[in-house]
Amino acid sequence: MSQRRAPTSSWSFRIATIAGIPIRFHFTFLLFMAWLAFMANRSEEWAAIAALIPALFLCVVLHELGHALTGRRFGIRTRDITLYPIGGVAMLTDRPKPAHEFWIALAGPAVNVVIAIVLGSVFFAMNDRLPSLMFSVEKFSFLEGLFAANMMLVIFNMIPAFPMDGGRVLRALLGMRMPLARATKIAGTIGQILAILFGFVGLLTGHIFLMVIALFVFLGAQQEVMATVGISLVTGYRVADAMMTRFRVVAHMDTLGAVAKILLEGAQQDFPVVFGEEVQGLLTREDIVRGMAAEGKDAYVAGCMRRDFKRLTPDDPLEQALNSFTQHDRSPVLVMHGDQLVGILTTENLAEFMMLEQARSRT
Ligand SMILES: [Zn+2]
C-alpha cells in the first residue's frame, strides 16, 4: 500500500526475508485470510478461491518490493514490509525527497498494473474476452479473481489521500512547489475527508469492510501529518538546542532509596549514572520502580541501571533524537561530548521544544 517511517508494530511477526528485507504479517491480515477462507468454504469453487489467497498475498508483497527496491535505487533502505488487510506497508528508514517519493510511491501500483496486464492477456488468450472486474464467489475463476484483485489494488492505492500511495504522489507533487509540512497537511486533510465519506457510505450501505478501511485511512492520514509536522518543527536544529543542561546525576553506589527521594523532590525522572566523571549508565523512573519492587530500597543503582543507553552528540541533528524515540523506546538520550556528559534529552523536553517552535511559527 504505502511506505512509511513508523515504529514496528508489536502485533506483527516475521515470516520471510526477501532481498534482505524482513516480510512481516500483522495479525489483522490473518483475520482477513480467515475471512477469505470462510467465504471460500461456502462456495463450490472453494479450491480456486483457496488458491487465490497465497497468490494475492504474493501480489501484495511484490507491490511493496516495488516501493522498497525503487527506494533502494535512491539510496533509501527499507527496514521491513508489514502486511495489513488493506495492503502492505514498506517501512523506509529515511524520508525521501519529493522527486524521489513520487517514483517510490508510483512503483508499487505499477507492479500491480504489470501483473494485471499479464493476467489479462493470458485470460484473453484462453477465453477470447477480457476478464471482468466483478468478484463473484459463485462463478469464480482463479485468473479472473486475481486480475480483479490486482486492479482493485491499483485503484484503491491511487486514491489521492494519505496513507495510500496516491496521497504520497499528491504530496510529492505539492512538495515540489511548497514546504513539505504544508504539502503533507493538504494531502492529509484530503485523506481524512475521503475517509469520513467512506465511513458514511459504509454506514449507510452496511458495508463493514468499507468502514474498517475508512478508519485505517483516517488514522493513517493523521499519523503521517503529525510525523511530518513534527519533523518540520525540529529540522535545522541541533541536539544542543533542545537538550536539558540542568539536571542531576546519581552515583552507581547510591541506593535506590536515595534516588527515589530525589525523584520525589524534583521534576526529573531519569538519571545519568556516573562513577567519578565517567558515565556508566542510565536509571529511568521505571528502573527505580522495578528495582525497588524486586530488591528493595537498599539495592545499589549499579544493579538496576541500563548500560545500553542511547547517546548523541550536541552537534547531531535534532531530527535524529526525534527518530530515536519510538513507541517502544521512550527512554531519554544522553548527550555526550566525547566522554563528557553535557545534557539529557527526554520526550517531554523535546515535546516542549516542538510546542514552543510551533507557537513561534504561528506568529
Ligand atoms: Zn503501495
Side-chain angles (χ1 to χ4, degrees):
M1 179 181 78
S2 55
Q3 339 85 48
R4 201 188 282 176
R5 289 163 65 256
T8 303
S9 166
S10 54
W11 294 92
S12 62
F13 46 91
R14 189 209 297 222
I15 46 136
T17 301
I18 302 175
I21 302 163
I23 312 285
R24 303 170 70 90
F25 266 139
H26 193 257
F27 87 102
T28 50
F29 189 81
L30 294 182
L31 290 182
F32 177 63
M33 293 286 203
W35 176 75
L36 273 183
F38 174 72
M39 295 300 284
N41 199 22
R42 297 196 309 187
S43 164
E44 296 277 303
E45 310 278 355
W46 65 271
I49 299 181
L52 182 70
I53 295 175
L56 183 59
F57 155 72
L58 188 68
C59 291
V60 173
V61 171
L62 289 174
H63 171 116
E64 296 309 322
L65 283 173
H67 291 310
L69 298 180
T70 309
R72 187 176 284 182
R73 278 195 48 192
F74 295 124
I76 295 166
R77 292 189 313 122
T78 300
R79 198 178 62 195
D80 56 20
I81 289 172
T82 307
L83 299 173
Y84 295 88
I86 60 165
V89 173
M91 220 76 92
L92 305 187
T93 52
D94 278 302
R95 189 161 285 258
K97 281 185 239 158
H100 293 170
E101 181 170 50
F102 177 80
W103 293 111
I104 295 171
L106 223 48
V111 168
N112 299 108
V113 169
V114 171
I115 295 173
I117 289 172
V118 171
L119 291 172
S121 307
V122 173
F123 186 87
F124 187 79
M126 286 165 66
N127 299 283
D128 219 18
R129 67 173 174 91
L130 285 174
S132 154
L133 269 182
M134 284 296 125
F135 185 87
S136 151
V137 177
E138 286 75 33
K139 256 185 63 200
F140 185 83
S141 98
F142 175 77
L143 268 183
E144 212 164 17
L146 198 58
F147 172 83
N150 273 281
M151 289 305 285
M152 300 253 278
L153 275 173
V154 174
I155 294 165
F156 178 69
N157 274 300
M158 287 315 288
I159 296 172
F162 269 126
M164 272 83 70
D165 297 328
R168 277 162 213 286
V169 171
L170 176 66
R171 194 252 301 262
L173 290 173
L174 292 170
M176 292 172 193
R177 288 165 187 81
M178 60 176 81
L180 207 57
R182 192 148 159 252
T184 307
K185 270 187 190 164
I186 293 174
T189 305
I190 295 173
Q192 293 197 315
I193 291 170
L194 281 176
I196 291 167
L197 281 176
F198 283 167
F200 202 62
V201 172
L203 201 65
L204 288 180
T205 57
H207 279 94
I208 292 178
F209 201 58
L210 201 55
M211 287 160 73
V212 173
I213 288 175
L215 188 70
F216 263 96
V217 171
F218 192 87
L219 295 177
Q222 197 170 32
Q223 200 181 24
E224 183 67 32
V225 171
M226 276 162 62
T228 307
V229 170
I231 284 171
S232 76
L233 289 174
V234 301
T235 304
Y237 288 102
R238 297 173 313 134
V239 168
D241 297 321
M243 70 185 185
M244 268 198 290
T245 50
R246 271 192 296 143
F247 54 87
R248 289 193 63 161
V249 296
V250 297
H252 76 306
M253 288 301 281
D254 284 342
T255 61
L256 288 185
V259 183
K261 199 160 168 289
I262 302 173
L263 181 71
L264 288 173
E265 280 167 1
Q268 192 178 335
Q269 299 185 335
D270 310 292
F271 302 90
V273 182
V274 296
F275 177 63
E277 285 286 286
E278 191 195 340
V279 179
Q280 293 210 316
L282 174 74
L283 190 73
T284 67
R285 186 174 59 176
E286 289 76 54
D287 300 331
I288 300 171
V289 173
R290 201 179 305 131
M292 291 272 260
E295 293 169 54
K297 65 179 171 55
D298 293 325
Y300 292 116
V301 164
C304 305
M305 69 184 187
R306 50 188 81 185
R307 288 168 200 276
D308 56 338
F309 52 87
K310 295 179 284 193
R311 63 173 79 196
L312 287 172
T313 75
D315 289 325
D316 283 329
L318 194 50
E319 194 179 332
Q320 220 168 313
L322 186 66
N323 288 338
S324 80
F325 296 123
T326 65
Q327 217 175 337
H328 303 290
D329 185 6
R330 301 177 68 84
S331 67
V333 178
L334 297 189
V335 186
M336 314 273 294
H337 192 75
D339 281 340
Q340 198 195 349
L341 178 67
V342 291
I344 318 183
L345 198 59
T346 65
T347 50
E348 286 81 11
N349 75 292
L350 191 57
E352 272 168 13
F353 179 88
M354 286 160 70
M355 261 155 55
L356 292 171
E357 193 52 31
Q358 191 160 33
R360 231 162 51 116
S361 67
R362 283 221 187 96
T363 56

